[in-house]
Amino acid sequence: MSLSYTCINCNCGFKSPVTYIYGRRDAKSRSFPIQEATLKLRDGSTLHINSETMRKGLQYAATPGIADLLEWIKMLQKAIHNPPTMGITDPQRQLDVLVTSGSQDAICKTMEACIEKGQNILMECPSYPGTLGIVKPLGPNIIEVKSDKDGIDPAHLKQILSKWNPSDAKDKDSELPRLLYIIPNGGNPTGASLTLKRKKEIYKIAQTYDLLILEDDPYFYLQFNNPYIPSFLSMDEDGRVVRFDSFSKLLSGGARVGFVTGPKAVLERIGLHMQVSVMHASGLSQVCIHTVLESMGLEGFKNHALKVADFYRRQSEACVAAAEKHLTGLAEWAAPSGGMFLWMKLLNIEDSYTLITEKARAAEVLFVPGRVFYADDTKATPYIRVSYSVVSPELMDKGFERLARLLREETKH
């Protein structure tokens, strides 16, 4: 059997006469040292990846992802989010899915496709430094939208956009921002989650000003309360949401498998970028992830996600308890609503940077200074980010005890 492929590196419409003979691909596979694999799970059970399935992971695959995993993800997105655009036929707004090398790779390629130098863009503030590291070299004007314990503030977003008319969205030369980047659940660094009320307000503002919403949501399944707060994707009737998901927090960070869901017009650009960069996410990782997911089934996956969320909830409670024990009167914080981070304001400290990067490090306790979570990373801030993901309650207690001692010494001067 042979297939012809359409050239997608340009707009020439060329149909490649190159044929792929499956017999030859099989012969090539026989030269690879890996033939089969067995995965041992934590519950003691094993999963076998046979030679036929393994061959899919060993060979080059289609850029969007290995078909079995793609179908599983589409089923998951429909079951959890049921996007309104899933069934439409509009080629621009029609929903599509791509498997990517972690969600961050998808974010990077989306930003590179959507941002031009000098362009105004809207970003939640404070924000994930990995995304800031992607965006800043592209040279846009980052307009920071304030957030609090309930996530990004719609009133501030509306205030920022009020300098433009909604009709400016139709003017390609207008300086109206075209995209809004948000971490809606268990945000890094704040641990905050948007309420449903705020999400609806933000989506309505996006409709008014024709904004593209970039929903970076790796902590969706790490919400501490049930039922889950519905996603922007679940309310997207316009095809204006590009959603980034990851298996890193639930199955494996090192596997580097994430996925992006959104309008076909945007995902096509991401796919083109992938074809000339990574080609596709790791085939071996995709096969392993799909094997695990298939064994779980949808209900098993959901139950696993609840167990992981419960672990992080207990970690969060231990972190807050240790903070209350040692830092009451020295710092302020809001309990996280999901994820793995606590955002803390140090009282009577103008800037946390030197204290955290030098004195705390010397005391063998590690936090992240607040500066790195803002577009201007030279601006003084009293905030720090605490991560409780892999720290025992005993070490949390010891770490906050050391921080408290440093803060008392600092405020004596």
Side-chain angles (χ1 to χ4, degrees):
M1 177 178 180
S2 64
L3 297 173
S4 65
Y5 285 81
T6 302
C7 176
I8 47 180
N9 292 319
C10 63
N11 295 319
C12 65
F14 172 67
K15 293 219 179 260
S16 170
V18 175
T19 59
Y20 283 75
I21 308 301
Y22 285 133
R24 291 180 181 175
R25 291 189 66 177
D26 290 344
K28 183 179 179 182
S29 296
R30 287 197 293 271
S31 70
F32 297 151
I34 302 171
Q35 182 172 340
E36 299 181 0
T38 299
L39 304 176
K40 183 176 180 180
L41 305 187
R42 287 193 178 275
D43 63 5
S45 64
T46 59
L47 299 175
H48 185 67
I49 303 175
N50 62 33
S51 58
E52 181 180 351
T53 301
M54 180 59 75
R55 188 161 55 245
K56 297 177 184 178
L58 293 174
Q59 281 290 359
Y60 294 114
T63 295
I66 291 176
D68 293 340
L69 179 59
L70 266 178
E71 288 306 308
W72 208 99
I73 291 171
K74 289 176 182 177
M75 177 274 294
L76 177 68
Q77 296 300 68
K78 181 172 176 58
I80 302 297
H81 305 286
N82 195 24
T85 55
M86 182 161 271
I88 67 173
T89 57
D90 183 328
Q92 295 299 305
R93 299 188 300 122
Q94 185 180 27
L95 200 73
D96 203 0
V97 178
L98 288 176
V99 179
T100 57
S101 299
S103 62
Q104 184 147 332
D105 185 53
I107 294 168
C108 182
K109 288 174 168 55
T110 304
M111 293 296 190
E112 290 176 346
C114 294
I115 294 176
E116 296 180 357
K117 187 174 182 179
Q119 175 185 350
N120 289 326
I121 67 167
L122 299 159
M123 290 189 68
E124 179 177 355
C125 168
S127 199
Y128 172 49
T131 300
L132 287 168
I134 292 167
V135 170
K136 289 168 71 173
L138 299 175
N141 175 35
I142 300 173
I143 302 175
E144 296 182 322
V145 187
K146 295 177 183 177
S147 63
D148 56 28
K149 65 180 182 63
D150 293 321
I152 196 169
D153 182 2
H156 188 229
L157 176 61
K158 188 178 292 185
Q159 179 187 341
I160 290 170
L161 291 167
S162 65
K163 66 179 290 185
W164 290 281
N165 292 317
S167 60
D168 290 338
K170 298 178 181 178
D171 180 1
K172 65 180 180 63
D173 296 321
S174 170
E175 294 183 349
L176 173 72
R178 307 292 179 174
L179 63 85
L180 169 64
Y181 172 80
I182 299 177
I183 307 174
N185 292 297
N188 183 357
T190 63
S193 296
L194 276 167
T195 62
L196 179 58
K197 180 176 181 293
R198 284 195 174 188
K199 282 187 176 181
K200 289 180 177 179
E201 290 177 17
I202 291 167
Y203 189 82
K204 186 174 181 180
I205 293 169
Q207 286 182 308
T208 300
Y209 288 93
D210 199 17
L211 301 177
L212 184 69
I213 297 175
L214 304 186
E215 184 177 26
D216 182 9
D217 207 1
Y219 311 107
F220 175 82
Y221 292 100
L222 303 189
Q223 297 179 55
F224 296 156
N225 297 313
N226 275 297
Y228 297 135
I229 300 171
S231 64
F232 282 108
L233 185 68
S234 72
M235 59 184 72
D236 183 27
E237 59 190 20
D238 301 336
R240 67 176 63 258
V241 173
V242 180
R243 177 180 172 81
F244 306 96
D245 282 282
S246 176
F247 289 121
S248 293
K249 311 303 183 289
L250 297 173
L251 300 181
S252 166
R256 306 313 305 136
V257 176
F259 49 103
V260 54
T261 311
K264 196 177 188 69
V266 177
L267 265 62
E268 280 182 346
R269 308 311 299 174
I270 301 172
L272 287 170
H273 194 332
M274 289 177 66
Q275 287 171 1
V276 296
S277 56
V278 297
M279 296 180 66
H280 56 75
S282 164
L284 281 173
S285 290
Q286 289 188 64
V287 163
C288 288
I289 292 290
H290 177 256
T291 300
V292 173
L293 292 172
E294 191 70 14
S295 73
M296 287 181 170
L298 177 60
E299 292 306 312
F301 173 81
K302 289 160 69 174
N303 289 333
H304 172 72
L306 290 174
K307 291 177 183 178
V308 176
D310 185 62
F311 166 78
Y312 283 109
R313 179 187 57 77
R314 286 183 278 110
Q315 288 288 97
S316 170
E317 290 171 350
C319 184
V320 169
E324 290 174 346
K325 176 181 176 181
H326 295 290
L327 295 171
T328 298
L330 297 172
E332 294 176 345
W333 60 87
S337 55
M340 53 188 69
F341 306 109
L342 179 68
W343 185 237
M344 184 174 285
K345 181 181 181 181
L346 306 181
L347 301 179
N348 302 312
I349 298 293
E350 182 179 349
D351 186 25
S352 65
Y353 188 79
T354 301
L355 175 70
I356 297 304
T357 59
E358 297 179 12
K359 297 179 181 180
R361 186 179 291 265
E364 297 184 335
V365 58
L366 297 177
F367 302 100
V368 182
R371 282 192 192 185
V372 304
F373 301 97
Y374 293 88
D376 181 0
D377 59 9
T378 65
K379 188 176 180 180
T381 174
Y383 286 91
I384 65 171
R385 190 200 72 178
V386 179
S387 175
Y388 48 78
S389 60
V390 295
V391 185
S392 69
E394 293 76 20
L395 288 177
M396 293 181 202
D397 187 83
K398 186 178 293 186
F400 282 140
E401 181 183 22
R402 293 179 182 180
L403 178 60
R405 185 169 64 248
L406 290 172
L407 289 172
R408 290 190 183 97
E409 291 173 358
E410 195 77 8
T411 53
K412 285 180 182 177
H413 303 300

